[in-house]
Amino acid sequence: MQPTIFHKIIAGEIPADIVYDTDEVLGFKDIHPQAPTHILFIAKLEKDFVSSIIDITDQTAHVPTKLIQAAKEFATEQGIDGYQLKFHCGKDGGQEVFFLHLHFLSQQSL
Ligand code: 5GP
């Protein structure tokens, strides 16, 4: 498999505006924001890699929950009390980067 742009962000090979970073999850600003706050959350560990919700298996079923928990923690840290969480699932679902990511959108600014 070819590394995606998000693999390169985790490896530090391309820059990103990182706003949330734990051992397991990275959150960074979307390069083309669709709301005043638009963050992408991804799983950092290789064992948690999954390309899309469509490809989730029993082994990776915990990953979306991890991303949602990270988003919730981020919102609490930032004092953001209203937001949308979205997964684009597959090409026909608008997914362009095949590295599972959770979109966090809020009308509140950071
Ligand atoms: P998708 O459509 O796959 O759910 O969303 C991919 C998202 O990644 C898009 O919102 C797009 O703007 C964002 N994106 C694509 N390339 C980069 C990049 O190099 N850096 C950052 N920060 N975001 C990116």
Side-chain angles (χ1 to χ4, degrees), residues 5 8 12 50 54 56 63 79 81 86 93-94 98 109:
I5 199 99
K8 292 178 186 172
V50 58
I54 287 174
I56 290 279
V63 178
D81 49 24
K86 287 192 208 176
F98 282 80
S109 299

Side-chain angles (χ1 to χ4, degrees), residues 5-6 9 14-17 28-34 38 40 51 86-90 93-99 101-103:
I5 199 99
F6 294 170
I9 287 175
I14 63 164
D17 196 342
F28 54 92
K29 291 185 182 176
D30 194 295
I31 207 164
H32 296 126
Q34 305 295 311
H38 186 174
L40 302 172
S51 57
K86 287 192 208 176
F87 289 105
H88 294 163
C89 308
Q95 185 173 2
E96 288 174 3
V97 179
F98 282 80
F99 185 128
H101 52 281
L102 178 63
H103 291 261

Side-chain angles (χ1 to χ4, degrees), residues 18-109:
I18 293 167
V19 294
Y20 181 91
D21 193 3
T22 66
D23 289 346
E24 297 189 324
V25 178
L26 193 67
F28 54 92
K29 291 185 182 176
D30 194 295
I31 207 164
H32 296 126
Q34 305 295 311
T37 299
H38 186 174
I39 309 301
L40 302 172
F41 288 93
I42 60 176
K44 286 164 75 171
L45 303 180
E46 210 174 315
K47 73 171 182 62
D48 287 341
F49 174 75
V50 58
S51 57
S52 174
I53 288 284
I54 287 174
D55 296 325
I56 290 279
T57 62
D58 286 352
Q59 282 66 48
T60 51
H62 60 283
V63 178
T65 304
K66 232 178 229 185
L67 301 182
I68 292 167
Q69 284 171 330
K72 179 176 174 268
E73 188 177 277
F74 169 76
T76 303
E77 279 172 12
Q78 297 291 329
I80 294 177
D81 49 24
Y83 49 90
Q84 292 181 318
L85 299 178
K86 287 192 208 176
F87 289 105
H88 294 163
C89 308
K91 243 184 190 133
D92 290 344
Q95 185 173 2
E96 288 174 3
V97 179
F98 282 80
F99 185 128
L100 182 68
H101 52 281
L102 178 63
H103 291 261
F104 176 107
L105 299 123
S106 178
Q107 293 309 311
Q108 290 177 248
S109 299

